[in-house]
Amino acid sequence: MLIEGLYFLFAAILVLAALGVILARNPVYSALLLVLCFFTSAAIWLLLEAEFLAVVLVLVYVGAVMVLFLFVVMMLDINLAELRHGFTRFAALGVVTALAVIVEIAGVVWVRGFGLDLAAGAASQPAGYSNTLELGTLLYTRYAYPFELAAMLLLVAIVAAITLTMRRRPGLKQQDVSAQVATRAADRVRLVRMDADTKQ
Amino acid sequence: MITLSLQSLVPAIAEIWLVVAVCLILLADSFAGARRRSLTPTLTLLALAVGAALTVRYGFTGAHVTLFDGMYVSDRLAVVLKLAGFLIVAVVLLYSRGYLERRGILRGEYYVLALTALLGIFVLISAGNLLTVYLGVELLALSVYAMVAFDRESGVAAESAMKYFVLGAIASGTLLYGMSLLYGLTGTLDLGLLAQRLETAGPGVILALAFVVAAVAFKLGAVPFHMWLPDVYEGAPTSVTLFIGTVPKIAYFALAFRLLAEGLAGTTAQWTQMLAPLAVLTLVVGNCVAIVQSNLKRMLAYSTIANVGFILLGFVAGTPAGYAAALYYVLVYVLTSLGSFGVILLAGSRGFEADRMDDYRGLSRRDPLLAGAMMMLMFSTAGVPPFVGFWAKLRIFQVLWETHHLWLVLIAAATSVVGAYYTLRVIKLMYFDEPVEAPAGEPAPGVRLVLGVNAALVLALGLIPGPLLDLCARLIH
């Protein structure tokens, strides 16, 4: 009962926050509301006994991706009025898409009524069961090979991204940290002796 | 629960060594600085040599070894293809060195990306599971996209990299969609189990097959999924064109073999029917469009497409003999295009790409060695008898004849005649036209020696075709 109550609480917050993301006038508020979305989804996953996924969602999405989003949003000068300019033109397409999604969701719910029981709830695990441990055991034994390959894929992505974007342009103003550290007071301030002006 | 011990990992020595080498070279390159530029190329060649030696010493562990719960397969085919991969990448990097230097893109990352691409190729060669197939495809593709865009100053290269990336992403999506359908139908990702369970699967398999075949056709560059190939070949730096024109073809042969011939063995009748029209279209479009090209790289790209048609024909036969013929064709094709693009690399000089057909007018008088090598390679591509290309085409005709695909033999023979026109035209330009004013090619005597050996191999393997043909037949059982 308590868990169901918590679920509805989190679900309500999630839906409201999601609505806020698209309705907020200030893009920074949108990004912050998206953080709230991720956080409440993580809470719902905790209720479903998927602790590892919940932790990863908070760490990766809230901790890394959303911080990056916020930086980008704050650095770009986003003019919402201009963005919303074409809203009515694409409204029909949006409505059709939304309807299609609703029909699909209804279809999934309806199929459950056939008794196929596609989305049977997982049996709840005994106390002391560690979702993280189970995932880790699988990842590092049976799936060790694809797991390592995925790591190599990320390494390739890093090498490719750096080699394609990092370049030294001539005339670019940038900090030279070692020069900054090695500087001395004598180089910065020049004391000039001037005779005091006296009124004639 | 499976236990992992170091001893059990020995069959995967080639991949393990490559990962270690990539990390070491990446570190060494960052600390070497700009002054010691020759360090990374030397280290990379050394790493390839050590990798090949380790593979020869420890790779041949048994007829068919599986690791990691069947995700990794090591058989004689895999070991031989990996050795070929080591050798070809070493030759590719040897040919490319001077070109990279004069175009100002000799950076350590180029070599690292070449090694990671090779790792992707190895993963594909040894794939025993749809998961590893996909990871191999992506590892290879991501490295190659970055290599195509490697010259940041070149707008053409950036454009072709974008095209390649976007179309490649669509192909990956198609492959994944087909795989997810296969998983839904059979409940397994393991290629061995897949083959067993597909025998009882329903007609939905056709849909999954269509997606998988389309993805394989895209990767190979078969018509109508060939749009990326000419643009990428022409736009990429020539050293990268040399790379993508050679080693990945081995990987995509392995992809087609592991996925279609092994994993989807129960549905051979269906996918050969899908491949046959693709092969015919590929032969016709590739050969006919190649005629009107004025850029040699673009012409060779269409010639590649035509060759892909032949490789597909080997698969259309649907028998072990057919796959062996396709394997032989791939190896011969890789050897030949290695030399052809090598000639383009060596004929150029600073500020002169030597990629137009007109640049080759009268080459025989300016540079007899390059012209001689190019002549042999072009004769082989056209399928003129004493050269190895003739045997490759003949073997495909034979297996098609044995499997009663008479009409395919006729189409392939007719398009080969068309194909002979544009390859022989290069020879005519080099030997019978008046020389044009052009800068002298790259002197590099060592690299020229390798190119000479490469061209001589095309002739030698043509004079004594037996051993390689036997090897291919024995590798595919």
Side-chain angles (χ1 to χ4, degrees):
Chain A
M1 191 59 215
L2 174 68
I3 289 193
E4 276 175 8
L6 277 176
Y7 167 75
F8 282 114
L9 176 68
F10 288 137
I13 296 177
L14 179 59
V15 171
L16 287 178
L19 279 176
V21 172
I22 52 170
L23 293 179
R25 290 211 168 272
N26 187 333
V28 177
Y29 288 168
S30 287
L32 287 173
L33 282 167
L34 198 55
V35 171
L36 183 62
C37 274
F38 286 144
F39 224 88
T40 35
S41 336
I44 290 176
W45 280 355
L46 270 183
L47 292 181
L48 291 171
E49 300 182 17
E51 310 96 39
F52 182 73
L53 283 180
V55 170
V56 167
L57 185 69
V58 171
L59 277 182
V60 176
Y61 277 85
V62 178
V65 176
M66 283 317 296
V67 171
L68 192 72
F69 261 46
L70 271 177
F71 271 120
V72 173
V73 166
M74 286 181 196
M75 285 207 301
L76 297 178
D77 182 23
I78 300 174
N79 188 354
L80 272 184
E82 203 169 290
L83 276 181
R84 297 216 169 132
H85 184 67
F87 183 75
T88 43
R89 242 178 73 210
F90 297 111
L93 192 65
V95 168
V96 171
T97 315
L99 275 179
V101 172
I102 289 170
V103 168
E104 282 172 2
I105 293 174
V108 172
V109 175
W110 186 56
V111 162
R112 271 187 86 177
F114 281 152
L116 280 174
D117 221 13
L118 286 173
S124 73
Q125 302 292 342
Y129 171 86
S130 171
N131 181 261
T132 316
L133 180 73
E134 293 298 315
L135 265 176
T137 312
L138 260 187
L139 272 186
Y140 287 101
T141 54
R142 176 174 290 182
Y143 294 101
Y145 183 53
F147 188 69
E148 297 295 330
L149 285 179
M152 279 309 287
L153 210 54
L154 287 179
L155 179 68
V156 172
I158 294 171
V159 172
I162 291 177
T163 191
L164 292 184
T165 54
M166 202 177 86
R167 62 174 94 192
R168 294 203 187 283
R169 293 194 195 85
L172 199 68
K173 290 194 170 56
Q174 55 187 12
Q175 289 178 312
D176 184 350
V177 179
S178 53
Q180 286 175 327
V181 171
T183 189
R184 286 168 303 152
D187 303 333
R188 288 273 170 92
V189 183
R190 190 161 57 95
L191 292 176
V192 183
R193 176 172 291 280
M194 292 177 80
D195 291 330
D197 267 341
T198 48
K199 256 192 185 150
Q200 300 285 319
Chain B
M1 182 70 66
I2 46 168
T3 50
L4 285 180
S5 68
L6 277 180
Q7 198 60 42
S8 72
L9 293 180
V10 166
I13 190 88
E15 285 82 356
I16 295 172
W17 168 249
L18 260 187
V19 171
V20 172
V22 163
C23 297
L24 287 179
I25 290 172
L26 208 50
L27 278 178
D29 181 63
S30 343
F31 284 105
R35 274 171 294 132
R36 271 167 291 172
R37 275 215 171 146
S38 56
L39 180 72
T40 310
T42 319
L43 275 183
T44 310
L45 289 180
L46 194 68
L48 290 170
V50 171
L54 285 173
T55 314
V56 170
R57 173 72 184 77
Y58 298 106
F60 293 97
T61 41
H64 190 88
V65 186
T66 58
L67 278 183
F68 304 109
D69 218 15
M71 289 191 193
Y72 181 93
V73 179
S74 178
D75 48 15
R76 285 212 307 272
L77 173 68
V79 176
V80 171
L81 286 185
K82 279 176 202 172
L83 285 176
F86 276 126
L87 181 70
I88 295 164
V89 170
V91 176
V92 164
L93 292 179
L94 262 182
Y95 286 165
S96 314
R97 172 73 197 276
Y99 179 84
L100 291 173
E101 217 157 344
R102 54 175 199 263
R103 208 166 154 163
I105 48 174
L106 182 68
R107 299 199 304 269
E109 290 87 355
Y110 187 89
Y111 289 84
V112 171
L113 287 172
L115 286 184
T116 51
L118 185 62
L119 178 66
I121 290 165
F122 284 4
V123 171
L124 266 179
I125 290 173
S126 278
N129 189 298
L130 292 180
L131 202 55
T132 37
V133 167
Y134 180 70
L135 282 168
V137 166
E138 284 302 288
L139 201 50
L140 170 58
L142 271 184
S143 313
V144 171
Y145 301 148
M147 282 171 87
V148 172
F150 207 77
D151 187 3
R152 292 176 305 209
E153 310 301 323
S154 160
V156 191
E159 183 200 330
S160 55
M162 277 305 287
K163 281 180 186 161
Y164 195 14
F165 182 73
V166 171
L167 291 175
I170 295 174
S172 293
T174 316
L175 184 64
L176 272 184
Y177 195 42
M179 285 177 176
S180 64
L181 286 175
L182 283 177
Y183 181 66
L185 286 166
T186 59
T188 179
L189 290 172
D190 188 272
L191 287 175
L193 279 177
L194 197 66
Q196 291 169 19
R197 294 195 191 166
L198 272 182
E199 283 162 15
T200 54
V205 179
I206 307 278
L207 187 64
L209 264 184
F211 283 106
V212 172
V213 166
V216 172
F218 175 89
K219 289 292 172 191
L220 275 169
V223 179
F225 307 103
H226 68 293
M227 293 314 206
W228 60 277
L229 206 135
D231 285 350
V232 172
Y233 271 46
E234 190 187 349
T238 312
S239 60
V240 179
T241 312
L242 166 69
F243 190 90
I244 50 182
T246 50
V247 237
K249 303 296 175 213
I250 292 184
Y252 295 138
F253 166 79
L255 170 73
F257 181 71
R258 298 271 186 226
L259 210 55
L260 297 179
E262 287 191 350
L264 301 170
T267 55
T268 312
Q270 281 91 336
W271 61 253
T272 47
Q273 276 177 10
M274 292 181 195
L275 280 185
L278 286 184
V280 170
L281 271 178
T282 309
L283 283 169
V284 173
V285 172
N287 278 315
C288 294
V289 183
I291 293 176
V292 293
Q293 302 306 321
S294 60
N295 182 302
L296 187 60
K297 274 158 83 180
R298 209 172 170 85
M299 187 213 89
L300 286 176
Y302 279 104
S303 156
T304 300
I305 295 175
N307 282 306
V308 163
F310 269 97
I311 297 167
L312 287 182
L313 283 181
F315 280 94
V316 169
T319 57
Y323 308 145
L327 173 62
Y328 183 67
Y329 199 97
V330 168
L331 292 177
V332 166
Y333 162 74
V334 167
L335 182 72
T336 316
S337 61
L338 194 62
S340 325
F341 287 111
V343 169
I344 302 183
L345 282 174
L346 288 184
S349 58
R350 190 176 291 276
F352 173 58
E353 285 280 321
D355 60 351
R356 287 174 309 143
M357 300 280 261
D358 289 341
D359 296 337
Y360 289 83
R361 281 183 198 280
L363 185 72
S364 64
R365 263 168 279 177
R366 277 186 287 134
D367 201 333
L369 184 123
L370 278 189
M374 194 63 161
M375 177 186 70
M376 283 154 86
L377 294 161
M378 284 296 130
F379 271 137
S380 177
T381 312
V384 174
F387 297 96
V388 70
F390 167 71
W391 296 104
K393 285 194 165 66
L394 186 70
R395 191 77 196 104
I396 296 279
F397 290 153
Q398 273 179 344
V399 292
L400 284 177
W401 183 264
E402 282 159 14
T403 50
H404 313 292
H405 289 95
L406 179 61
W407 62 286
L408 285 179
V409 177
L410 290 177
I411 292 173
T415 50
S416 295
V417 175
V418 178
Y421 167 75
Y422 60 81
T423 43
L424 297 182
R425 193 165 72 114
V426 177
I427 299 174
K428 180 226 160 208
L429 283 177
M430 290 190 307
Y431 279 88
F432 301 109
D433 278 17
E434 283 306 306
V436 286
E437 279 300 311
E442 197 181 312
V447 183
R448 277 170 180 259
L449 182 69
V450 177
L451 186 71
V453 171
N454 187 338
L457 258 183
V458 169
L459 180 60
L461 284 175
L463 292 173
I464 318 163
L468 189 60
L469 270 170
D470 284 348
L471 179 72
C472 291
R474 265 188 294 128
L475 288 179
I476 309 241
H477 23 259

